Every structure is written in C-alpha cells, then in structure tokens.
C-alpha cells in the first residue's frame, strides 16, 4: 500500500504518552482471541466496556498525553493513521457534497493501555471502536500487532507498532480505520440511532441481526473508501485487497466461534460471517457507491 507523501489529517489526538490504565494482571496477549476479535470492530463501546470491565476490574484510569520522544516506529504509526484518516475525509467530504450535505470528520484518538472516551473508560482489549457520544474513533496501535500475532492476519509478527510502507499488512490496518469511520458516517446519517431504537423493541436474536447489518454496512463503507481513494491516488499495491479479505475472513463470527469453541451459533452473531464481511467490503470496493451498501434492505 502506497501511503507516504500524502496529506496527514490534523484530526488525530495522540494520547499514547500518558500510559493509560493497564489491566490488573491481565495483558492483551492473555485474553481469548475470540473476545478480542469480537470487539475488533465493535459498534457499541458501552457494552464492550462493561464486558471488559468484568475481566479487568483491577484497572484504574489515568490521564494520557502525547509521546514526548516517539520512536521512529511510533512516528510512522501516527503518520500512517493520519494519512488513512485524511483519505477517509477526502472520500466522505466528496460523497456528502454530492448529496448536498456537509461532512463533519471524526477525531481519531491513538492511545496506549486505556483511555477515557465519551462512552466510558476503554481498554486496549476492546480493540478499535467508534464512540458516537463524542464522535471519535479510538485505536491502540498495539492492537495491530495482535492482529498479526494472535489472529494470523497478514504481516510480520515481531513488530511492536504498525507495519512500515514496504511490509505486508498495512492495507488490512487501513481497513480497520476505514471501518470505524464507517460507523461515524452511519452516526451522521442517523442510521445508528435508528438501529439502536429498533434494538430496544427487538428480541435478542433480532437485535443481533440488526447489529450484523450495521457492521456489514460499515464494511461496505470501508470498501467505498478504498474505491474512491484508489481513483484519486492509485495507492493499492498487488496483494492489498487480499490482505483486507484475509482480515475480513478472520473476523467473521462463524470463523471466530469455531476457532474458540468448535461450534457455531448463528443467532449469537453480531458482526456477520466471514463470507458476508468479505462480500460487503467487495461490494463497496467494486462499486464505490454508498447506495449499494443498504444492508438493511438486502438479503444478506
């Protein structure tokens, strides 16, 4: 993925220097893979926080600030995330303008360990998430290492931050950012609030199905981002799309449930199957059309 030399967004807040709270006696690497990946693209951070809190009840929140003397890897992580965020800004600004609307971009918060968000205290174990209360995307870049080491998603296994420009796995990481920004777009369009209201009147199984459709739409929106960015910048290298497909395949509910416990319970799905996630990302990537991302009317 060719990302260097382009605009870097100024909507990035670097809070990695304050050291945030660490889970009492529990590291990210010690958590169950299925739990981490379940929250890899979580749309409801308040629920995720409560789940994580039960495991990490010994943690205490601390303030966080930017790294004072960042390493080259940490600097590159910030530049990478900022560039991908800028690409999402360019994409969605154009799309909103075509609809006669104004796009308000989210802030992206980089943190380490734990962070205070508008949705409560967030732990690294939750994975990247979007908080609608403060309209911010939260990412602990160490999670990308866990993507590679624990989940086997493309990339080298011995890096402590994001992969560099010439290494595998960068497009899969960009896909993560674009997916979370997709949730921000859903929030701006009022889709998230409609789904939340519908959930309150639904059974557990029906609510899970609504969550699946919300997540698949965010996958499709991530594909729309990739399509528009490719048209503007020709940033894709050979194998990049396969990286994203690898990521989507390994965060499908069926894949994770089978890996964690050997059985699959479709009624408990909240993010969609591997095939569904790959299909909807590809829909957005191939068409670049948000109108093709209506997962709520489509047969999924």
């Amino acid at each position: 993925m060719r990302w260097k030399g382009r605009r870097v967004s100024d909507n990035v807040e670097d809070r990695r220097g304050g050291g945030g709270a660490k889970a009492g006696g529990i590291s990210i690497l010690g958590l169950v893979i299925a739990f981490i990946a379940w929250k890899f693209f979580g749309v409801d951070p308040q629920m995720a926080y409560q789940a994580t809190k039960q495991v990490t009840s010994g943690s205490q929140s601390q303030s966080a600030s930017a790294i004072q003397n960042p390493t080259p890897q940490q600097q590159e992580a910030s530049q990478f995330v900022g560039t991908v965020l800028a690409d999402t800004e360019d994409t969605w600004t154009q799309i909103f303008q075509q609809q006669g609307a104004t796009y308000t971009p989210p802030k992206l918060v980089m943190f380490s360990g734990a962070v205070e968000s508008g949705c409560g205290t967030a732990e690294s174990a939750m994975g990247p998430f979007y908080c609608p209360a403060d309209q911010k995307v939260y990412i602990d870049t160490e999670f990308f290492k866990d993507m590679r080491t624990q989940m086997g998603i493309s990339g080298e296994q011995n890096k402590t931050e994001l992969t560099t420009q010439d290494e595998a796995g960068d497009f899969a990481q960009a896909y993560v950012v674009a997916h979370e920004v997709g949730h921000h777009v859903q929030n701006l369009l009022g889709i998230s609030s409609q789904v939340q209201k519908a959930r309150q009147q639904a059974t557990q199984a029906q609510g899970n199905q609504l969550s699946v459709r919300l997540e698949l739409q965010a996958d499709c929106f991530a594909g729309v981002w990739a399509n528009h960015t490719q048209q503007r910048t020709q940033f894709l290298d050979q194998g990049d799309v396969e990286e994203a497909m690898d990521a989507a395949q390994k965060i499908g509910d069926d894949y994770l449930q089978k890996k964690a416990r050997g059985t699959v319970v479709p009624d408990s799905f909240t993010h969609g199957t591997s095939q569904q996630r790959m299909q909807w990302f590809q829909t957005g990537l191939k068409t670049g059309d948000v109108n093709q991302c209506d997962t709520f009317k489509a047969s999924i």
Side-chain angles (χ1 to χ4, degrees):
M1 172 179 160
R2 297 182 292 275
W3 60 271
K4 290 188 175 181
R6 297 207 303 279
R7 182 175 74 87
V8 177
S9 174
D10 57 6
N11 285 315
V12 177
E13 298 179 17
D14 192 343
R15 302 186 196 173
R16 292 174 295 172
K22 298 294 182 181
I26 301 176
S27 67
I28 301 175
L29 294 177
L31 295 176
V32 180
I33 294 175
F35 175 76
I36 296 177
W38 175 48
K39 288 305 170 191
F40 181 73
F41 282 155
V43 70
D44 192 340
Q46 292 164 309
M47 292 179 63
Y49 167 59
Q50 293 301 326
T52 307
K53 186 177 179 182
Q54 295 176 10
V55 180
T56 60
S57 57
S59 66
Q60 294 182 343
S61 174
Q62 299 175 4
S63 61
S65 58
I67 298 172
Q68 295 301 312
N69 296 297
T71 66
Q73 291 84 5
Q74 290 169 332
Q75 289 178 324
E76 184 156 282
S78 180
Q79 292 169 357
F80 177 87
V81 169
T83 301
V84 174
L85 186 63
D87 286 339
T88 68
E89 292 167 353
D90 293 342
T91 292
W92 291 110
T93 294
Q94 179 186 46
I95 291 173
F96 271 57
Q97 285 178 345
Q98 291 171 349
Q99 301 300 320
T102 300
Y103 177 66
T104 303
K107 294 283 187 179
L108 188 149
V109 178
M110 301 175 66
F111 71 96
S112 176
V115 68
E116 289 292 340
S117 77
C119 299
T121 302
E123 303 284 352
S124 296
M126 290 167 55
F129 70 94
Y130 172 69
C131 175
D134 58 16
Q135 297 192 0
K136 294 182 179 180
V137 171
Y138 290 84
I139 292 179
D140 184 339
T141 53
E142 279 292 313
F143 186 82
F144 293 120
K145 176 185 176 183
D146 297 322
M147 284 175 60
R148 302 189 297 274
T149 59
Q150 295 193 52
M151 297 165 63
I153 293 174
S154 301
E156 295 184 12
Q157 296 187 358
N158 298 319
K159 298 296 181 181
T160 58
E161 283 282 348
L162 295 171
T163 56
T164 63
Q165 181 183 19
D166 298 325
E167 294 167 349
D170 49 5
F171 187 64
Q173 295 157 9
Y175 165 40
V176 173
V177 176
H179 175 101
E180 297 306 333
V181 172
H183 285 311
H184 175 66
V185 173
Q186 290 172 320
N187 188 39
L188 294 180
L189 295 177
I191 297 171
S192 300
S193 59
Q194 292 177 25
V195 169
Q196 185 61 27
K197 183 178 180 179
R199 279 190 189 133
Q200 296 173 356
Q201 303 173 354
T203 66
Q204 182 66 47
Q206 291 170 336
N208 288 344
Q209 183 62 205
L210 287 169
S211 295
V212 166
R213 291 178 183 273
L214 196 70
E215 293 295 332
L216 294 179
Q217 186 177 62
D219 282 334
C220 189
F221 284 171
V224 169
W225 154 79
N227 175 288
H228 284 248
T229 302
Q230 176 67 1
Q231 289 185 43
R232 285 195 313 272
T233 69
Q234 297 296 306
F235 77 122
L236 292 176
D237 282 324
Q238 184 177 2
D240 281 344
V241 174
E242 287 76 12
E243 287 178 8
M245 291 299 95
D246 185 37
Q249 191 264 334
K250 290 178 178 175
I251 55 174
D253 286 322
D254 53 340
Y255 179 94
L256 293 169
Q257 287 187 2
K258 188 172 183 180
K259 186 177 181 67
R261 59 194 185 195
T263 59
V264 174
V265 184
D267 282 349
S268 68
F269 290 174
T270 58
H271 288 65
T273 66
S274 296
Q275 182 60 39
Q276 288 171 330
R277 302 204 72 166
M278 290 188 288
Q279 173 190 336
W280 282 101
F281 175 79
Q282 286 276 24
T283 296
L285 176 63
K286 291 179 179 178
T287 68
D289 183 3
V290 293
N291 295 317
Q292 301 302 314
C293 294
D294 191 351
T295 56
F296 295 93
K297 291 183 179 179
S299 174
I300 62 172

